[in-house]
Amino acid sequence: MSNKSMIAIIGMAVMGQNLALNIAGKGFPVTVFNRTTETTERFFRERVNGVPIRPTSTLEECIQSLEKPRRVMLMVKAGQAVDTFCQKLYSLLGPGDVIIDGGNSHFTDTNRRVLEAERRGLFYLGTGISGGEEGALSGPSIMPGGHRDAYEAVQNILEKSAAQAEDGPCCTYLGPESAGHFVKMVHNGIEYAFMQAIAECYDLLSRGCGLPAGEIGDIFHEWNATESLGSYLVEITWKILKHRDQETGQPLIDLISDQAEQKGTGKWSSQAALDLGVPIPAITASVVARTLSSYVGFRKMGTTIYQPPVFTFPPRAKLIDSLGHALFLAQTTAFSEGMHLLAEASREFAYRLPLSEVPRIWKGGCIIRSRLLKRFQSAFASQNTTLLIHSPEFRDDISRALDPLREVVATAIYAGIPAPLFSASLGYLDGFCSQRLPSSLIQAQRDFFGAHAFRRIDREGIFHEQWGERDSG
């Protein structure tokens, strides 16, 4: 290959390989490099066929193969590996060149790296990429943020390599500094919540109704055909539940350990929300549920101490109908929480996020893509909506689904089956539909023991009371 490449991809794990094949398949010559040369050679030998991909064995050779401005995408593990490669690239790149971090970096790390690159005359993009291995190959959702000039230098490559929706590529410039990685972090928080809601549906149908995995898969298959529940996660759920283990012939789901792992992005969403003062109880409940699942010993001990309640489940058809409504509300709540967090972060960090563009670029390629995203996009485009649950676009649907969600939560409680996501979603909805909350008592308590003062509803100002001095009893 004699011509210069338009972009380099560093890191030849499956995501890096598939992204290289995707970009090269769109006609953009790509150079690839991996710290272990054998990995690069095997990729080139086994997977590269007829697309413009150039393998290199040293970082210097990789950079020398690029046209200017040189564009380098890092597809390496978040954390120290990104910093290590950035330090090496600083000595090889020059003014106007672009570094793109395509991993799940924490947004504060991205802020720091943007400034470090800027001091060296370089441009930097913190870029969230969602879609897993399949999306990287066929077209992911791409969420770039950082220097605007950096985006313009790679815009054509990213937008043509992204998933394509009916209204454009699932990629757009989201804002300065860590805007892209913050959006990807929130995307993952929503993903955690939607996955937990699906798991709770499965649990109630399996443990509660005693349905086998295949029959539950049929229910999810029917749900996936609807406008309110059709989504990538529901689609893969019915496929998982219908899948049988080759060796035993049993549903494979029945043989998988119930300890859910996590890489931290859901937790980051909860931490950021606490710092910004944004309530995201459903997303946080999904993080806690994964953490609790890892305590297998404690869970087994609990079953020897306490007996499950005796409970008669409602008729199967009624429970399935209620669960469908509950799953719709859980998904809507998770998106409402996520978009609220993005709106507050945009103000706090001056991201100037194009909020209606966020659900638009999630419509294709990414893990949380669903048919509802078109309506989410419309809700944020047509008005100044901060809370999705208050949008006129969803008021009637939410009103119809509230009672079924209550029935699902009550059923889970009386049956002794944990449903933390559904419970948190209901608490979120009821909280934002309450004109008065008992927080008045909390504020009074704070003033009683710490003289923290309080506001009154009948007059302006800040007040402190000498509690107990005028007790009537």
Side-chain angles (χ1 to χ4, degrees), residues 302-349:
T303 64
T304 67
I305 300 172
Y306 304 106
Q307 295 300 311
V310 177
F311 177 74
T312 301
F313 266 71
R316 181 182 301 179
K318 180 173 175 56
L319 179 61
I320 292 171
D321 181 68
S322 295
L323 282 171
H325 287 292
L327 186 56
F328 159 77
L329 265 189
Q331 182 183 6
T332 304
T333 297
F335 275 99
S336 184
E337 290 181 1
M339 295 301 290
H340 187 189
L341 178 54
L342 288 178
E344 292 300 322
S346 185
R347 281 190 281 270
E348 177 69 20
F349 304 135

Side-chain angles (χ1 to χ4, degrees), residues 48 63 94 122 150 194 217 227 247 276 319 356 400 402 405 456:
V48 177
I63 301 306
L122 303 174
F194 197 18
E227 288 300 314
E247 294 182 9
L276 291 168
L319 179 61
S356 65
R400 281 192 294 269
L402 267 171
L405 176 60
R456 297 175 60 119

Side-chain angles (χ1 to χ4, degrees), residues 1-9 23-24 27-33 51-56 61-72 157:
M1 189 182 304
S2 58
N3 295 330
K4 296 279 188 177
S5 296
M6 292 188 68
I7 190 169
I9 295 181
I23 293 173
F28 303 105
V30 179
T31 292
V32 296
F33 171 78
V51 291
I53 294 180
R54 179 201 312 264
T56 55
E61 180 189 3
C62 174
I63 301 306
Q64 290 169 5
S65 74
L66 298 174
E67 68 176 30
K68 292 186 177 182
R70 291 168 290 192
R71 309 164 183 90
V72 182
I157 297 173

Side-chain angles (χ1 to χ4, degrees), residues 23-41:
I23 293 173
K26 300 300 188 299
F28 303 105
V30 179
T31 292
V32 296
F33 171 78
N34 194 75
R35 185 172 54 85
T36 306
T37 305
E38 180 184 347
T39 302
T40 306
E41 293 173 345

Side-chain angles (χ1 to χ4, degrees), residues 204 311-314 319 406-417:
L204 285 164
F311 177 74
T312 301
F313 266 71
L319 179 61
R406 296 187 197 284
E407 292 167 4
V408 167
V409 172
T411 297
I413 289 171
Y414 283 115
I417 295 176

Side-chain angles (χ1 to χ4, degrees), residues 168-314:
C170 294
C171 172
T172 193
Y173 177 72
L174 291 169
E177 296 185 322
S178 57
H181 274 147
F182 198 98
V183 169
K184 177 56 163 56
M185 177 189 74
V186 172
H187 165 286
N188 286 17
I190 295 170
E191 177 186 309
Y192 273 49
F194 197 18
M195 291 172 71
Q196 177 65 26
I198 289 171
E200 290 177 16
C201 286
Y202 161 73
D203 201 19
L204 285 164
L205 292 169
S206 177
R207 277 205 287 167
C209 293
L211 294 182
E215 289 188 31
I216 301 174
D218 291 336
I219 294 168
F220 276 95
H221 186 261
E222 292 177 8
W223 282 346
N224 192 53
T226 67
E227 288 300 314
S228 60
L229 296 178
S231 64
Y232 173 74
L233 285 170
V234 170
E235 177 187 351
I236 67 169
T237 297
W238 73 257
K239 292 179 179 178
I240 289 168
L241 294 172
K242 300 289 283 187
H243 189 84
R244 291 188 173 273
D245 177 50
Q246 287 187 347
E247 294 182 9
T248 66
Q250 298 181 60
L252 183 55
I253 187 65
D254 295 343
L255 304 175
I256 296 176
S257 168
D258 64 347
Q259 300 174 73
E261 298 180 358
Q262 53 187 314
K263 292 185 176 180
T265 47
K267 177 183 70 176
W268 293 348
S269 293
S270 295
Q271 290 171 331
L274 288 170
D275 290 339
L276 291 168
V278 179
I280 58 168
I283 291 174
T284 300
S286 68
V287 177
V288 173
R290 290 199 191 189
T291 304
L292 189 148
S293 76
S294 67
Y295 287 89
V296 178
F298 287 164
R299 291 194 283 121
K300 288 182 177 178
M301 183 182 296
T303 64
T304 67
I305 300 172
Y306 304 106
Q307 295 300 311
V310 177
F311 177 74
T312 301
F313 266 71

